[in-house]
Amino acid sequence: MTRVATHGNYQSALLSLMNAQGRAQQAQERIDSEKIATDMSGYGRGAEQLTSLTSTQARLEGFISTGEAVKARLSAQDLAMSRIYEGGNAAREAIANSLAAGRIDNLMVELGLNYQTVQGGLNAEHQGSYLFAGGQSDIAPATASTMADLTAAPSTAATFANDTLKQKSRIDEKTTVETGFLASEIGGPLTEVFRNIQAFQNGAAVTVGGVTYTPAGAGTLTGQPDANVTAFLKAQMGELDKANAGLTNQTAKNGLIQNHVETALDAQENQKTALQKMMQDKSGYDPARAITDLQMAQVAIEASAQIINSLKSTSLLNLLR
């Protein structure tokens, strides 16, 4: 004869109810997260592969973050170099226009303003740091505020406070790019021209291209230029052309680096998209299936609850009464 125990029936019904509640909770978590599990232990054998994919994703996002920062810095450098070129080119035009007009009364004033444009570009900042200062990013690299300050220094090199350390950035696993430029390199030739013009105005002899130009005295760069002043200014125009051409080459180099970084970023973004799809395939859970699982679990919960409720009226104690 088989015994039927009320306690055993309750235990079985309660166990079924708890299992159904567990399945319902798991289905709800999958609906909320759209993933199979909320931790690696829930993926079983696939956990190791997911861990590897997650590590790759973190490393890739690090390179993308670095690439975006480098891209922003290169863009700021391009704007700063354009400003420096603007000052140098304007200086060249100012000299040419003054000579064409036969009067250079306001030439030094114009050149002073042009130099300040150049200095502003050399001391350009990005995110609180000077772009062209090398490793000393908290110190303004171009120290001479005016053309007079240029001639007060013992040499053109003495007017620059940058060091020789150029910034480098690692944009992917195998590529490290030199993205920094130095103020003394990109602005040195232009600054030399402004310094020579101011020295000539002060009455000092200036040698350009092996030729020495000696002014008649201080303050000669005004009024109607004589043959000596005209020859000197034309020589400075040639030097400005060389300096501007060199700056154009540096700007082009910055642009090439920009293109390289953008290409690397595009490749990394594509890789990130592919990686996310792979991880979704490995860890994702079909929302429709999760909803079905939840509905089935809820039906099981209701069934178990009804069984427990019915057991209240099927106790042997009720029959003995």
Side-chain angles (χ1 to χ4, degrees):
M1 180 177 178
T2 303
R3 288 186 175 184
V4 178
T6 301
H7 178 71
N9 288 337
Y10 266 115
Q11 287 294 101
S12 178
L14 283 172
L15 182 61
S16 297
L17 177 62
M18 292 173 64
N19 288 336
Q21 289 175 331
R23 293 197 301 274
Q25 182 180 355
Q26 184 183 59
Q28 187 62 57
E29 289 175 351
R30 287 173 173 174
I31 291 173
D32 294 338
S33 65
E34 296 186 0
K35 296 185 180 297
I36 294 175
T38 56
D39 54 43
M40 287 300 175
S41 62
Y43 291 100
R45 295 180 179 179
E48 183 176 350
Q49 187 174 10
L50 275 174
T51 300
S52 177
L53 290 174
T54 301
S55 176
T56 301
Q57 184 184 45
R59 190 164 59 252
L60 185 61
E61 288 178 348
F63 284 128
I64 291 175
S65 178
T66 299
E68 292 289 352
V70 172
K71 180 181 176 181
R73 179 183 176 88
L74 290 170
S75 179
Q77 288 180 173
D78 181 72
L79 291 174
M81 289 180 179
S82 296
R83 186 178 181 188
I84 298 168
Y85 178 84
E86 178 186 339
N89 189 56
R92 201 265 184 206
E93 290 182 357
I95 295 174
N97 292 337
S98 295
L99 290 177
R103 301 290 301 184
I104 57 174
D105 299 283
N106 298 317
L107 179 60
M108 289 304 295
V109 175
E110 287 188 65
L111 292 179
L113 295 174
N114 297 149
Y115 171 71
Q116 289 183 353
T117 299
V118 171
Q119 193 218 15
L122 292 172
N123 286 340
E125 297 180 62
H126 177 65
Q127 295 183 346
S129 299
Y130 291 101
L131 286 170
F132 306 122
Q136 303 182 109
S137 58
D138 58 336
I139 300 175
T143 60
S145 300
T146 64
M147 291 176 65
D149 294 335
L150 291 175
T151 54
S155 65
T156 299
T159 64
F160 290 97
N162 60 272
D163 57 20
T164 59
L165 182 63
K166 296 182 181 181
Q167 182 169 341
K168 295 182 180 180
S169 304
R170 187 183 180 192
I171 59 175
D172 59 34
E173 294 283 2
K174 300 179 180 179
T175 307
T176 299
V177 181
E178 186 176 83
T179 57
F181 293 81
L182 302 178
S184 56
E185 289 183 352
I186 62 176
L190 272 177
T191 303
E192 178 74 12
V193 177
F194 284 105
R195 186 172 185 272
N196 284 340
I197 293 173
Q198 183 63 53
F200 190 86
Q201 171 70 349
N202 292 348
V206 175
T207 300
V208 180
V211 179
T212 300
Y213 298 90
T214 303
T220 57
L221 295 180
T222 188
Q224 185 175 357
D226 59 20
N228 182 52
V229 169
T230 299
F232 170 75
L233 290 177
K234 286 183 176 180
Q236 297 309 307
M237 288 173 60
E239 294 301 306
L240 284 170
D241 286 336
K242 294 177 185 178
N244 288 332
L247 182 58
T248 298
N249 290 335
Q250 295 280 30
T251 305
K253 179 181 177 181
N254 186 78
L256 289 174
I257 299 172
Q258 277 184 291
N259 292 336
H260 185 71
V261 171
E262 288 175 1
T263 299
L265 275 173
D266 289 341
Q268 289 164 353
E269 289 290 352
N270 292 335
Q271 186 180 351
K272 179 182 177 180
T273 300
L275 188 61
Q276 286 174 335
K277 185 178 184 304
M278 188 181 300
M279 292 183 69
Q280 179 63 29
D281 292 340
K282 295 292 183 182
S283 64
Y285 199 79
D286 184 8
R289 181 178 174 185
I291 292 173
T292 301
D293 291 344
L294 179 60
Q295 291 173 341
M296 293 177 64
Q298 289 172 340
V299 170
I301 290 173
E302 292 175 2
S304 298
Q306 288 178 357
I307 292 173
I308 292 173
N309 187 54
S310 65
L311 284 174
K312 294 180 181 179
S313 59
T314 58
S315 172
L316 292 177
L317 293 176
N318 292 335
L319 295 175
L320 290 174
R321 291 194 189 100

